Amino acid sequence: MSTVARPRPRPVRAGLETSRRPPRLSTLYPRWFHLPGAALYAVFFAAPTIVSFYFALTRWTLFDVQFIGFDNFVEFFREPQLYQGLINTFIYGFVTSAAKVVIGFALAVLLTSPILGRGYLRAVVFFPVLVSTVGVGLTFKSLLDPYHGAVNGALHTFGIQGPGWLTDPHTALLTVAAVDIWKGVGVATLILIAGIVAIPQEYFEAARVDGAGPWRVFRSITLPLSRPAIGTVVILSLIGGLRSFDLIWTMTNGGPGFTSDVIASVIYKQYQAGFYGLSTAGNVVLFVVVTVIMVPVSRFLNRREAQT
């Protein structure tokens, strides 16, 4: 009786079943979630940016476009107030950013400690952020009026001659910067509070067991472990300061003279005069300036964060 030889089963390699690729639908499924964000990014950022680079090379109005190459950029850099505007932009951006970090961190440390009315104080610190920038500018412009303002009136009561806060070329830019710090320090404080609260409490308890005082705890635990939050505040504040326009324009219109002009206000004055292509070239210059400053700053902060 003959026997039929059965085919030997092929050996199953270890891990073959687990290493099979999932169906194509399951691999592509998570990528669909990127489409709404990508579409919004393309419509509201990428496309306007590309179009603005093109219009910076033209002389345009609502009814006509004429390509003129780099003439707008040459004309923009010939602006007599551009040099002063660049200096003021850097001063304003770095002063407001540094002050928001320092004051915001001090307030964050205070508002995370066990003090009376902590929740109420947090709301008070954050309240200026909710107020309109234009409203804040108009209010402080009235309060700081050198002749009829409430601030100089209060100083006059104590026999002090108040300065021309917004009319003196030496104080106008720094006065607006101080108002900007008052309005924006709430966001910095909120971010830094979140950074401090995220630090594990075991570190503080271990430090107290070892007999560390408040200053040692702050220097060795709170400050170094809050660096990610500090870096976020630095980046956001510096970008906002370099691009600031609305508060400066509301309070001083870039004056007196051109002493409180920044790049954004120079661009706006060109737009008011009807030089649309020139103002578009100025926006491209502002974009490049902010990028050139923020890319190395961001890399430096990320490197420091990775080292901690």
Side-chain angles (χ1 to χ4, degrees), residues 279-303:
S279 63
T280 307
N283 279 310
V284 172
V285 172
L286 179 60
F287 173 80
V288 173
V289 168
V290 174
T291 303
V292 168
I293 294 175
M294 294 311 305
V295 168
V297 170
S298 179
R299 288 183 177 178
F300 173 76
L301 293 174
N302 290 335
R303 191 181 305 117

Side-chain angles (χ1 to χ4, degrees), residues 95 113 118 131 142 181 183 197:
V95 167
S113 60
R118 183 172 59 183
V131 184
S142 176
I181 294 166
K183 186 183 186 307
V197 171

Side-chain angles (χ1 to χ4, degrees), residues 88-97 173 176-177 180 241 244 247-248:
N88 290 342
T89 300
F90 296 145
I91 293 175
Y92 190 91
F94 285 101
V95 167
T96 54
S97 177
L173 184 67
V176 180
D180 191 337
S244 183
L247 188 63
I248 295 174

